[in-house]
Amino acid sequence: MDDLATEAAGASVIMATCADERHPAENILEPKDGSFWATTGLYPQEFVIKLGSVSQVNKIRTLTSNVKRFVLEYCEGEVPDKFKPVFEVELADKNARLQTEVHQVNCQARFLKFTIGSGWGDFASVHRVSIF
């Protein structure tokens, strides 16, 4: 099964609520170790991934740090509005170590909106999102 959250598959991060030039939102799709998107301190924080086309999404894998409440919504329209809920989850406190989450989902999506509702610290990071 190919990862839909890659530049090769046509995916891109089209919106993020905060920016750090050292750790930009585009890093979320970067497969190399050591790259990540960093939040800038306040919650909630959001980012939106646009897939290469409307696609069946069955599984989401995230690699994060210091994320406490995580929400996923989807939209299959031509523009990223009218998002529908997929899941909301509270992640365990890993004392700033990496949090790996895998969620089985079932939706047709062109856009996926990820919201970090709260964190275990002042800052959180998203190291990688994979979509299958």
Side-chain angles (χ1 to χ4, degrees):
M1 190 180 312
D2 291 332
D3 187 352
L4 300 172
T6 65
E7 286 184 14
S12 60
V13 177
I14 61 164
M15 190 281 296
T17 54
C18 63
D20 179 336
E21 64 186 35
R22 296 168 298 154
H23 307 291
E26 294 77 26
N27 285 350
I28 293 167
L29 305 180
E30 183 65 47
K32 67 181 179 187
D33 291 341
S35 66
F36 58 90
W37 172 63
T39 65
T40 55
L42 299 174
Y43 298 102
Q45 296 287 342
E46 297 179 344
F47 61 93
V48 175
I49 295 176
K50 178 182 181 182
L51 302 178
S53 63
V54 175
S55 302
Q56 176 62 38
V57 177
N58 296 308
K59 181 169 65 171
I60 305 284
R61 183 174 56 217
T62 59
L63 185 60
T64 59
S65 178
N66 276 342
V67 173
K68 184 174 183 181
R69 191 169 60 84
F70 208 42
V71 179
L72 176 65
E73 298 171 276
Y74 76 98
C75 171
E76 58 188 306
E78 292 293 322
V79 295
D81 62 356
K82 298 182 180 146
F83 283 90
K84 301 173 188 171
V86 179
F87 67 77
E88 182 173 338
V89 64
E90 185 166 313
L91 281 62
D93 184 2
K94 299 275 188 160
N95 294 316
R97 292 190 328 262
L98 292 179
Q99 304 159 297
T100 301
E101 292 282 316
V102 177
H103 297 276
Q104 301 300 320
V105 300
N106 182 21
C107 63
Q108 289 276 329
R110 179 182 308 272
F111 301 96
L112 294 164
K113 180 167 70 170
F114 296 79
T115 303
I116 300 172
S118 60
W120 290 107
D122 291 337
F123 301 93
S125 59
V126 179
H127 294 255
R128 181 78 174 104
V129 171
S130 298
I131 302 168
F132 302 96

